[in-house]
Amino acid sequence: MARERTFIAVKPDGVQRGLVGEIVSRFEQKGFKLVGIKLMAPSNDLARRHYGEHEGKGFFAGLVSFFTSGPIVAMCWEGDNVIEMARAMMGKTNPKDAAPGTIRGDLAIDVGRNVVHGSDSPESAKRELELFFAAGELVEWSRGVDAHVYEKA
Ligand code: IDP
Ligand code: MG
């Protein structure tokens, strides 16, 4: 049975700070299934398309230059309600408003260095996954533990 998928990225600050394992671990421990992951250096064009909704805003140029400043870890996570739950796990955009216990609440201070990206809707998830992954890069696999994660595995 197909479950929901979302696009999550450890941003360049998270990679530089050695937080990849910590961030991956939070989604693993929650029970979500990893179906795609790669270290990559986003091009300027990819960054501008990814953040296209923010074009024209004062922080856009800085955001694009930051997002292309070093490698990111692009991921696809799968699970029931993963889009909404991953956003909750990440916390508010500005770490000063992000609750302790969330990724940004625990690991970041500055809105321009908030360590993680996550799709905000089913439409964004589809668009972003297509932007960052070729179809063959997402792996279909069955997980024995699903019977312990879901009532209806
Ligand atoms: P989100 O990452 O929580 O979805 P968005 O509003 O989509 O937040 O903004 C995209 C990214 O742009 C944020 O994660 C943050 O890094 C950056 N950003 C958003 N607002 C500001 C701002 O006011 N100043 C600097 N950077 C910002
Ligand atoms: Mg966003």
Side-chain angles (χ1 to χ4, degrees), residues 30-49:
K30 177 71 175 170
F32 293 128
K33 185 167 88 173
L34 185 63
V35 296
I37 185 166
K38 62 179 172 184
L39 183 77
M40 64 179 293
S43 66
N44 192 268
D45 180 61
L46 179 59
R48 295 181 71 89
R49 287 165 68 190

Side-chain angles (χ1 to χ4, degrees), residues 51 53-54 87 117-118 120 128:
Y51 282 122
E53 66 176 301
H54 299 300
R87 292 284 295 189
H117 168 85
D120 63 6
E128 293 169 1

Side-chain angles (χ1 to χ4, degrees), residues 73-111:
V73 173
M75 297 181 279
C76 177
W77 286 92
E78 185 181 278
D80 288 355
N81 301 306
V82 66
I83 298 171
E84 187 184 337
M85 281 202 250
R87 292 284 295 189
M89 289 166 65
M90 286 162 44
K92 295 262 173 63
T93 302
N94 192 328
K96 90 174 159 54
D97 304 319
T102 64
I103 295 170
R104 288 161 169 172
D106 288 349
L107 305 175
I109 294 173
D110 188 322
V111 67

Side-chain angles (χ1 to χ4, degrees), residues 19 29 43 46 67 82 86-87 96 98 108-109 113-114 118 137 142 146 152:
L19 297 174
Q29 289 182 2
S43 66
L46 179 59
F67 200 69
V82 66
R87 292 284 295 189
K96 90 174 159 54
I109 294 173
R113 297 289 184 271
N114 60 4
E137 290 180 318
S142 61
D146 274 1
K152 293 195 174 81

